[in-house]
Amino acid sequence: LGLLYQEYRDKSTRQEIETRRLQDSQTDPEESSPSEETPSEAEPSSTTESKGPPQISLLRNSNSRFNLWQDLPEIQSSGVLSILQPDEIKLQEAMFELVTSEASYYKSLNLLVSHFMENERLKKILHQSEAHILFSNVLDVMAVSERFLLDLEQRVEENIVISDVCDIVHQHTVNHFSVYITYVSNQTYQERAYKQLLQDKPAFREVISQLELDPKCKGLSFSSFLILPFQRITRLKLLVQNILKKVEEKSDRETTALDAHKELETVVKACNEGVRKMSRTEQMISIQKKLEFKIKSVPIISHSRWLLKQGELQQMNGPKTSRTLRTKKLFREIYLFLFNDLLVLCRQIPGDKYQVFDSAPRGLLRVEELEDQGQSLANVFILRLLENADDREASYMLKASSQSEMKRWMISLAPNRRTKFVSFTSRLVDCPQIQCVHPYVAQQPDELSLELADVLNILDKTDDGWIFGERLHDQERGWFPSSMGEEILNPKIRAQNLKECFRVHKSDDSQRRKLGSRNRQ
């Protein structure tokens, strides 16, 4: 393919956004179906005649660009488009995109290896251990991609109409895709090593800059190549979801798509856990060193514990404080470390240390918002510890710096507390939705990183521009700026998004029901 994977992926996701915008502006979702078949950024397909299998000419012709299956001259001249139903054509496009995007991805991986990793100047600059951390097992990843692509190409060669690709995805995910977990789990060390090399080795910085300027890279950075495997395994799951939405219900193709999706979900979760585990362990060690206990010491480091949120709030001094006593502050600083199973309350002391004066299990926390209490008590909430470090109930009146910060703390402290809008997993008929039009990288543990074209249910929102959302394709929750997305206003499109989501995850639901049945027995 003429496009590197980074370009291909960007074009594809931006077209997805435009399709949804068009759908959202129309009364009937079906009216917008042609937009799915004509990407605005698609370039003319190659007119070169080929005696070989029609689809393969696209994969192997470096002059070809961002094409649709139905735009190929061989498909156009075959007359098959007049025979197939519109839904089948959409399904063909979805399967074709999985194949062509893998070809584009393999091309980008090949460039990472041949242009960067095997560069002689770079080899001389990097120590063997540095090169290993930087490139990890990318050769294994590329070999897996090549084998996967060959099997996909062979399937496309079999017939002008693609029979299925999800059975191949399932087979490769089960047998080969564990290499992605190894690569992605190394990401924390990879990023750190790259930053350190740029800082400590001017020669490395110079060579990388020169290699990035090569026309082959099309203006893309070295780091955009390093992150390719993580982006691809996540995107592959979404491509299978797209196929699953278009296959006939209760068909063999639905079964293979569900099986492939389930296995990909397992790999993606393992990748995410691998990244989190590496960063969480280091973070917990760092926090442990900063804490000094005024109360009975609590062991902080645990394999099953991680940080959810930390930050400073203002604590009301108590009932004895009067607003007329100008010599006393109404509030004083308090610092909270909230873990997935524990809350630690501290005061900051000199030397970047924190003195712990109370703690409680996270499951024994309750929160309550104070409303209409005047400006001095704006953004104030009550935090109750049902059982604190002294085995008794304690209450704290806490003030946040903004409405969004208050809501973020309240949802983190008491996650089961009802949000403004109900989660889609409750099978609500309608719920506010938003699609991401600008990518966002989470800055805090309670935030959610967003990719272009992500669709989320809005669970809560604040007046100062933050949204608490739940992403439809993986049910991940978190906060993000409202400026990152556009609200989906058409109720029919929202209902369609939910219906598709339920279908994708119905195998998960049946497993949960079976598990619940076993537990009851």
Side-chain angles (χ1 to χ4, degrees):
L1 281 172
L3 296 175
L4 290 175
Y5 183 66
Q6 296 95 314
E7 300 173 292
Y8 190 108
R9 185 169 172 270
D10 186 56
K11 283 177 179 285
S12 178
T13 50
R14 290 197 180 279
Q15 176 54 34
E16 201 175 327
I17 289 170
E18 290 305 319
T19 298
R20 268 200 211 100
R21 280 176 176 160
L22 182 60
Q23 288 176 332
D24 199 27
S25 66
Q26 294 173 340
T27 308
D28 187 349
E30 294 302 316
E31 291 176 19
S32 63
S33 56
S35 67
E36 294 180 8
E37 302 166 6
T38 316
S40 57
E41 296 184 275
E43 299 186 25
S45 59
S46 171
T47 54
T48 306
E49 291 297 325
S50 171
K51 293 180 181 178
Q55 291 87 340
I56 294 305
S57 65
L58 173 68
L59 300 182
R60 292 184 179 154
N61 184 352
S62 62
N63 296 320
S64 298
R65 303 290 286 180
F66 188 72
N67 293 84
L68 292 169
W69 172 80
Q70 63 186 303
D71 287 340
L72 294 173
E74 296 84 355
I75 301 296
Q76 292 274 342
S77 61
S78 70
V80 73
L81 293 175
S82 60
I83 301 170
L84 296 178
Q85 294 294 318
D87 286 347
E88 179 62 33
I89 293 174
K90 288 180 187 178
L91 176 57
Q92 289 295 311
E93 296 292 5
M95 292 191 288
F96 188 63
E97 184 184 358
L98 189 146
V99 180
T100 53
S101 62
E102 188 65 31
S104 179
Y105 166 64
Y106 177 72
K107 176 177 178 172
S108 290
L109 277 183
N110 197 38
L111 192 59
L112 171 62
V113 171
S114 62
H115 187 61
F116 291 98
M117 182 179 173
E118 294 177 350
N119 180 269
E120 290 302 324
R121 287 178 63 195
L122 206 56
K123 280 183 179 179
K124 290 175 183 176
I125 294 167
L126 292 176
H127 187 272
Q128 190 174 353
S129 62
E130 292 171 330
H132 178 69
I133 293 172
L134 200 57
F135 294 102
S136 190
N137 64 328
V138 70
L139 290 175
D140 295 336
V141 173
M142 191 169 79
V144 164
S145 174
E146 181 176 22
R147 196 181 306 138
F148 182 41
L149 180 58
L150 285 171
D151 282 354
L152 291 171
E153 285 186 0
Q154 188 175 350
R155 176 60 57 82
V156 172
E157 283 179 345
E158 290 172 0
N159 197 308
I160 197 168
V161 177
I162 307 167
S163 59
D164 197 1
V165 293
C166 288
D167 57 329
I168 297 172
V169 175
H170 178 263
Q171 177 200 337
H172 281 261
T173 306
V174 171
N175 297 322
H176 308 298
F177 282 7
S178 59
V179 296
Y180 281 95
I181 301 170
T182 305
Y183 186 93
V184 174
S185 297
N186 183 54
Q187 191 176 311
T188 303
Y189 298 124
Q190 184 187 62
E191 289 173 356
R192 186 183 306 153
Y194 181 48
K195 287 177 184 175
Q196 202 68 44
L197 285 166
L198 288 174
Q199 186 178 317
D200 298 345
K201 292 192 173 184
F204 172 81
R205 190 167 60 242
E206 183 185 342
V207 171
I208 290 295
S209 296
Q210 288 176 358
L211 291 173
E212 287 176 335
L213 289 173
D214 192 295
K216 292 178 194 169
C217 295
K218 301 188 178 181
L220 296 164
S221 68
F222 174 53
S223 57
S224 78
F225 286 90
L226 287 178
I227 203 171
L228 282 170
F230 185 46
Q231 290 180 330
R232 179 56 183 170
I233 196 67
T234 308
R235 185 68 182 166
L236 199 54
K237 188 188 85 166
L238 297 181
L239 291 170
V240 170
Q241 281 189 8
N242 194 34
I243 292 170
L244 183 51
K245 294 169 187 175
K246 293 173 171 57
V247 293
E248 294 174 31
E249 292 198 48
K250 299 180 180 177
S251 65
D252 289 343
R253 290 197 291 195
E254 184 189 52
T255 302
T256 57
L258 283 168
D259 289 344
H261 182 264
K262 179 186 169 186
E263 294 300 332
L264 279 169
E265 188 125 63
T266 301
V267 172
V268 171
K269 283 180 179 175
C271 287
N272 286 331
E273 282 306 308
V275 173
R276 288 168 183 162
K277 189 176 180 182
M278 296 290 188
S279 56
R280 281 170 178 172
T281 302
E282 295 186 346
Q283 189 178 45
M284 296 301 287
I285 293 170
S286 174
I287 291 171
Q288 174 81 65
K289 290 177 181 176
K290 293 180 180 182
L291 298 183
E292 293 183 2
F293 285 83
K294 189 177 179 181
I295 55 170
K296 184 181 177 182
S297 179
V298 178
I300 295 296
I301 298 175
S302 164
H303 289 298
S304 59
R305 179 173 293 152
W306 61 87
L307 184 73
L308 292 180
K309 190 168 178 62
Q310 67 173 343
E312 187 177 88
L313 292 168
Q314 303 291 314
Q315 180 195 354
M316 190 169 186
N317 272 332
K320 293 181 181 178
T321 305
S322 168
R323 296 184 197 184
T324 59
L325 296 176
R326 301 294 182 185
T327 54
K328 286 192 176 181
K329 288 173 68 177
L330 182 59
F331 293 95
R332 62 181 298 197
E333 288 79 14
I334 183 175
Y335 202 92
L336 273 58
F337 288 96
L338 178 65
F339 304 100
N340 61 307
D341 62 346
L342 177 73
L343 172 68
V344 174
L345 296 93
C346 320
R347 304 227 185 265
Q348 195 160 6
I349 55 178
D352 194 27
K353 299 273 188 179
Y354 299 89
Q355 188 177 66
V356 180
F357 66 86
D358 209 351
S359 66
R362 186 178 177 222
L364 297 179
L365 303 177
R366 300 293 183 268
V367 292
E368 179 187 343
E369 185 177 350
L370 288 183
E371 296 180 1
D372 301 324
Q373 297 292 325
Q375 188 58 41
S376 62
L377 294 181
N379 307 320
V380 171
F381 66 97
I382 304 292
L383 170 64
R384 282 198 299 133
L385 283 54
L386 299 184
E387 189 178 298
N388 73 348
D390 297 326
D391 297 325
R392 55 188 178 81
E393 187 172 324
S395 291
Y396 296 93
M397 186 180 286
L398 304 175
K399 181 179 174 69
S401 59
S402 64
Q403 186 198 38
S404 58
E405 189 64 12
M406 178 190 71
K407 284 201 170 188
R408 285 170 68 164
W409 270 111
M410 290 177 73
I411 286 175
S412 295
L413 289 161
N416 295 325
R417 181 175 174 271
R418 187 183 173 117
T419 51
K420 185 173 182 180
F421 306 106
V422 182
S423 160
F424 87 89
T425 49
S426 67
R427 302 296 187 264
L428 192 69
V429 175
D430 196 14
C431 177
Q433 288 178 5
I434 192 168
Q435 81 158 330
C436 172
V437 295
H438 303 290
Y440 180 68
V441 178
Q443 306 297 310
Q444 300 290 336
D446 66 334
E447 292 179 11
L448 186 63
S449 291
L450 301 177
E451 296 282 352
L452 284 173
D454 278 352
V455 176
L456 305 97
N457 267 1
I458 298 172
L459 303 185
D460 214 330
K461 57 169 67 173
T462 67
D463 296 335
D464 53 353
W466 284 84
I467 287 174
F468 183 57
E470 183 174 57
R471 188 162 44 216
L472 295 192
H473 76 74
D474 60 5
Q475 287 98 63
E476 288 284 329
R477 293 181 173 193
W479 290 90
F480 56 90
S482 56
S483 57
M484 295 298 108
E486 294 175 353
E487 197 158 339
I488 297 171
L489 303 176
N490 190 326
K492 288 188 177 180
I493 300 303
R494 293 198 297 267
Q496 182 177 297
N497 290 338
L498 289 182
K499 182 182 177 184
E500 289 174 349
C501 187
F502 297 155
R503 185 178 178 191
V504 166
H505 293 286
K506 72 178 180 181
S507 60
D508 301 338
D509 292 342
S510 62
Q511 284 181 332
R512 286 192 205 102
R513 283 194 292 272
K514 286 177 186 174
L515 185 62
S517 175
R518 284 196 214 106
N519 291 340
R520 284 191 295 274
Q521 290 169 5

